[in-house]
Amino acid sequence: MSAVGYPLVLVPVAAVGLLAIALRPLTRPTVGRRRLALLRAALVTGAFAVLTVEALGAARLLTLPAFAVAWLLFLSGAAVAAGRRRRRDAARALVRADAVEVLAAPEPALVGANAGPAAGTPLPPPPAPPAAAGRVASRRAGWSATLAQAWRTAGRGERLLAGTVGGLLLVELLIALLAEPNNFDSQTYHLPKVEQWVAQGSLEFWPTAIHRQVTIPPGAEYLLLHLRLFTGGDALHNLVQWAAGVGVLLAATRITAQLGGGRRAQLLTAFVLATTPMVALQATSTQTDLVCAAWVACVATVALDGLHRRADVGAILTLGAATGLTALTKTSGLAAVGPLLLLWGLAQLRLARTAYSRSRRQVRRTVAGSALILLVAVVVVGPFLARVTAEFGHPLGPPRLRESIPMERHDPPSLVVNALRIAHTAFDTPLAPLRRAGAEAIIGGAGLLGVDPQDRATTFGQERFPVPSWYPDEDRVAFPLAGALAAIGAAVALTRPGRISPTRAGPLRAYAVVVVAAVLLHTAMIKWQPWGNRLLLYALTLAVPLAGLWLDALFRRAAGGVGGRRPVAAGLAVTVLATCALAGVLAVSYGFPRRLVGAGSVFTTTEWDTRFLRRPQWTEEFRWAADAVRATGARRIGLVQQNDNWEYPWWLLLRDAGGRPPELVALQSVLPERPPAHPASVDAIVCTGSRTACTALVPPDWRVQFRSYVGYALPPGS
């Protein structure tokens, strides 16, 4: 990490804290005011980070000095906004205090304007501090006093829930700081694109054999770019997903509160979500699914506010920013954002027609607000889509991308079979007989419907259903416990919402409809794939609040009943929660590819062994080739690779003694308008994957060395 990097890394954190003060909701009462303020601050900071990358990238200024100036200006603006908000709040509090004091003061005795108290008459006691002054002092106490008070009043079970969540977050933070990035996709395209941006100083597309480096939405990588420029490396890259995990918990618990859940229901939501292995493992990763889930959850919690009151400009801008950030991070998240915005719009129209005399004006205001949401979203995601459209003639990229992940058949039998396969993979357990029985039933049912369960039009690549997905691997681990609890909560919320939230039955049912619609849209849009569980993380985040509400209602009814089935059901629920805790602890302890104990532990594994835990057999091959090329002093190095090969290790291993990265150029290109470099224009060539592809591009008189996966080629005399 560079010396300048230490303070600069803290600037976004400080900005979020200051903005959380400036963006506290004005409307009282507001559910989860502090959480809403933090989520607003995160959205503003995220949007600023994205727009900064776009603006400086267009100016070819993706450099540390430019980013440092931008962030210091942003921090100054946040500090000014926070100061103004504090002064405004203090002034309002004093006005309220004066009003209370005037109302509470006794009327003076009418004995003359200059008359004082009679001799020997005791002076009246000083007035008691007004309630408003007490509220000011309470606010000054801040988060620490609030948390301390909550802990003192919590029961043993609530403390256990909160302690488990807090402990998992701290352990995940430790792993995120200690472990080097080693996610497979990050080695292929997440991190190479960040290095390419830094190398060229802009966001302009480049020749590459890995189309995902330029076609997959880069929202999360934009955030990584800031850390890369601040620190000069990837030591803090895992913190982006960890912070997203914290945001997911804040948003999910606030959603629970908005739907009528008390403290226990909110803690149950946080507990179920935090102990889900997929969440625990992704929180220490450079994947992008938690980032997407966080932005979607922000849309959800802000949209729910719109069910009960007219949205102001701030709420509309927030919804637009969250929508744009979702689209820029992972387009699959729009399957939830669309229904959420539709729910928000319908609620705003209902409020306009029932609560205001000038309904037509309010309807027009709602339409204008919806247009503003889309406009803000386009401002955030539009520049990337414009580059993709200019390059490939379509905003969704080349045909190979549009046909590989989205469903190509939409007849009802195909949709049903796809949904069943996705559910089977999501609910997988270590019980192999159960997995086989479920898969055989789905395959048999597909045959009866006349659908091929391995149809390429509904199945990603050359993969074949089924696959085991229960093992705690960040790319594919199932979530049977959280998924089952969420499914039960959704079913009860749809059929008998009053049983779990008597005061919010209508909003609860509407929210459950949105969650179910999001899941159905996902299964209708996305092909089955072995890694599909992580793509569902945003939907799971939205569904878990329903589980928390249902569990809380179950425990509440069990405590009020004597005998019968209620205590038995509550006991079963406690068993499931204990199993959830065990799953979460095992995920952070033994999960792959970052774990606390065992082979591959972050405490005992070297840096390069950690980076190559996914493919340990490649470690020495990459280092062997890099050492040979670096020994020649080569600076312009050609790349020969295929679409799923690892590129990122070359950016690290081929740095010179001073840490300066190499100039890596592709000798193949899948971008029609971006021709690759000519082999004769480079000082050396490094290859991965195919020896045949390597030798086909190497000049005839060059010397080629190749092992099982990695090779290199040098010109004569090197």
Side-chain angles (χ1 to χ4, degrees):
M1 178 180 289
S2 65
V4 179
Y6 279 102
L8 286 178
V9 166
L10 297 177
V11 170
V13 180
V16 169
L18 291 170
L19 287 174
I21 296 172
L23 298 175
R24 285 193 302 248
L26 294 172
T27 305
R28 289 177 176 274
T30 299
V31 175
R33 297 181 72 246
R34 289 189 174 93
R35 280 170 285 181
L36 178 58
L38 277 173
L39 294 172
R40 286 176 173 177
L43 284 168
V44 172
T45 305
F48 170 79
V50 165
L51 295 177
T52 297
V53 171
E54 290 288 358
L56 294 180
R60 305 189 70 86
L61 285 175
L62 298 183
T63 62
L64 175 59
F67 273 62
V69 170
W71 275 106
L72 291 175
L73 290 174
F74 183 70
L75 180 64
S76 300
V80 170
R84 288 181 177 177
R85 178 59 188 272
R86 281 185 178 277
R87 289 192 296 272
R88 186 188 310 165
D89 288 349
R92 289 177 177 175
L94 288 176
V95 169
R96 288 195 298 268
D98 290 342
V100 171
E101 185 174 353
V102 168
L103 292 174
E107 291 191 21
L110 300 177
V111 293
N114 298 320
T121 303
L123 293 173
R135 286 195 294 270
V136 173
S138 175
R139 281 197 296 271
R140 288 175 180 171
W143 283 78
S144 57
T146 302
L147 292 175
Q149 175 67 15
W151 185 262
R152 285 193 300 269
T153 58
R156 183 180 303 175
E158 293 176 341
R159 291 184 179 183
L160 183 60
L161 294 171
T164 302
V165 173
L168 284 173
L169 286 176
L170 290 176
V171 172
E172 290 160 10
L173 176 61
L174 177 65
I175 296 174
L177 290 171
L178 291 179
E180 290 76 20
N182 60 0
N183 172 263
F184 194 103
D185 285 348
S186 296
Q187 307 278 16
T188 300
Y189 69 95
H190 289 312
L191 301 187
K193 71 169 69 173
V194 175
E195 295 298 322
Q196 188 68 44
W197 293 333
V198 174
Q200 64 187 24
S202 73
L203 301 175
E204 184 181 357
F205 289 167
W206 57 93
T208 178
I210 303 173
H211 77 86
R212 291 178 293 175
Q213 291 183 2
V214 296
T215 57
I216 297 293
E221 290 90 337
Y222 280 1
L223 305 181
L224 292 176
L225 175 61
H226 293 266
L227 292 178
R228 167 64 177 83
L229 289 171
F230 289 164
T231 66
D234 59 15
L236 301 182
H237 278 9
N238 292 331
L239 293 185
V240 170
Q241 281 259 110
W242 182 84
V246 175
V248 160
L249 294 178
L250 291 175
T253 54
R254 185 171 187 266
I255 290 170
T256 306
Q258 290 171 287
L259 296 175
R263 183 169 63 189
R264 184 173 61 183
Q266 297 172 52
L267 287 173
L268 285 166
T269 296
F271 179 86
V272 173
L273 196 55
T275 56
T276 301
M278 179 65 77
V279 175
L281 291 169
Q282 289 247 347
T284 64
S285 168
T286 47
Q287 268 290 10
T288 62
D289 304 285
L290 262 182
V291 178
C292 175
W295 299 139
V296 172
C298 287
V299 174
T301 191
V302 177
L304 284 177
D305 283 336
L307 300 188
H308 306 289
R309 61 173 178 265
R310 295 289 297 169
D312 56 17
V313 175
I316 291 172
L317 294 177
T318 301
L319 284 173
T323 300
L325 290 169
T326 301
L328 189 63
T329 303
K330 233 176 179 63
T331 52
S332 57
L334 296 177
V337 171
L340 285 167
L341 292 181
L342 178 61
L343 174 65
W344 175 86
L346 293 175
Q348 291 292 293
L349 289 174
R350 178 182 60 83
L351 291 173
R353 293 179 177 178
T354 59
Y356 293 87
S357 58
R358 300 179 179 179
S359 60
R360 290 184 179 180
R361 179 181 177 184
Q362 297 302 329
V363 168
R364 289 195 297 269
R365 179 183 171 189
T366 299
V367 174
S370 301
L372 182 57
I373 291 173
L374 296 179
L375 176 61
V376 173
V378 168
V379 169
V380 174
V381 72
F384 169 71
L385 294 180
R387 288 193 298 274
V388 173
T389 303
E391 191 72 34
F392 301 103
H394 196 287
L396 298 181
R400 65 183 302 175
L401 177 63
R402 302 198 303 269
E403 296 168 2
S404 61
I405 297 176
M407 286 278 287
E408 298 178 79
R409 290 184 57 178
H410 296 91
D411 54 287
S414 295
L415 295 179
V416 170
V417 172
N418 193 56
L420 290 174
R421 292 184 302 168
I422 290 175
H424 180 274
T425 305
F427 288 87
D428 190 24
T429 70
L431 303 176
L434 182 61
R435 181 188 313 119
R436 286 195 298 269
E440 290 171 0
I442 293 173
I443 293 172
L448 294 176
L449 293 174
V451 175
D452 179 5
Q454 315 300 344
D455 186 358
R456 296 304 100 191
T458 62
T459 305
F460 179 83
Q462 301 301 315
E463 305 299 329
R464 295 189 62 83
F465 173 83
V467 295
S469 59
W470 63 270
Y471 185 78
D473 183 306
E474 67 172 359
D475 283 340
R476 64 173 64 191
V477 62
F479 36 83
L481 297 175
L485 292 173
I488 295 173
V492 177
L494 288 171
T495 57
R496 307 185 71 178
R499 291 177 64 91
I500 59 178
S501 183
T503 61
R504 296 286 191 276
L508 176 60
R509 174 175 282 165
Y511 181 78
V513 169
V514 166
V515 171
V516 172
V519 173
L520 293 177
L521 283 174
H522 183 99
T523 59
M525 293 165 50
I526 307 297
K527 293 178 179 179
W528 175 88
Q529 54 184 284
W531 314 278
N533 289 341
R534 63 182 181 83
L535 302 182
L536 277 168
L537 196 52
Y538 73 91
L540 181 70
T541 298
L542 296 184
V544 166
L546 302 176
L549 289 164
W550 173 71
L551 287 169
D552 179 61
L554 179 65
F555 291 136
R556 186 171 61 246
R557 293 171 67 85
V562 180
R565 291 177 292 180
R566 292 176 184 173
V568 175
L572 180 60
V574 170
T575 303
V576 172
L577 291 176
T579 308
C580 287
L582 178 62
V585 171
L586 289 177
V588 298
S589 300
Y590 295 98
F592 194 75
R594 292 166 303 280
R595 57 177 54 163
L596 281 179
V597 297
S601 166
V602 295
F603 295 115
T604 60
T605 308
T606 65
E607 174 188 351
W608 288 104
D609 287 339
T610 299
R611 293 185 184 278
F612 283 89
L613 273 175
R614 282 285 185 193
R615 296 293 186 271
Q617 68 274 20
W618 295 348
T619 309
E620 289 306 316
E621 293 194 21
F622 268 96
R623 301 183 73 174
W624 158 76
D627 289 343
V629 171
R630 200 170 54 248
T632 67
R635 294 306 305 161
R636 181 175 168 86
I637 301 168
L639 292 174
V640 178
Q641 55 194 2
Q642 287 74 57
N643 187 56
D644 208 31
N645 288 175
W646 285 16
E647 179 182 315
Y648 186 59
W650 297 127
W651 288 97
L652 303 178
L653 290 168
L654 293 174
R655 294 188 176 191
D656 61 19
R660 187 165 58 100
E663 181 186 358
L664 295 180
V665 295
L667 302 185
Q668 311 134 290
S669 179
V670 294
L671 278 68
E673 304 300 323
R674 309 279 174 174
H678 194 278
S681 69
V682 301
D683 304 324
I685 296 173
V686 291
C687 311
T688 51
S690 169
R691 181 188 183 102
T692 303
C694 182
T695 55
L697 289 170
V698 173
D701 56 343
W702 284 36
R703 175 170 54 92
V704 179
Q705 297 289 326
F706 206 96
R707 292 188 177 179
S708 62
Y709 180 77
V710 176
Y712 68 91
L714 299 174
S718 298

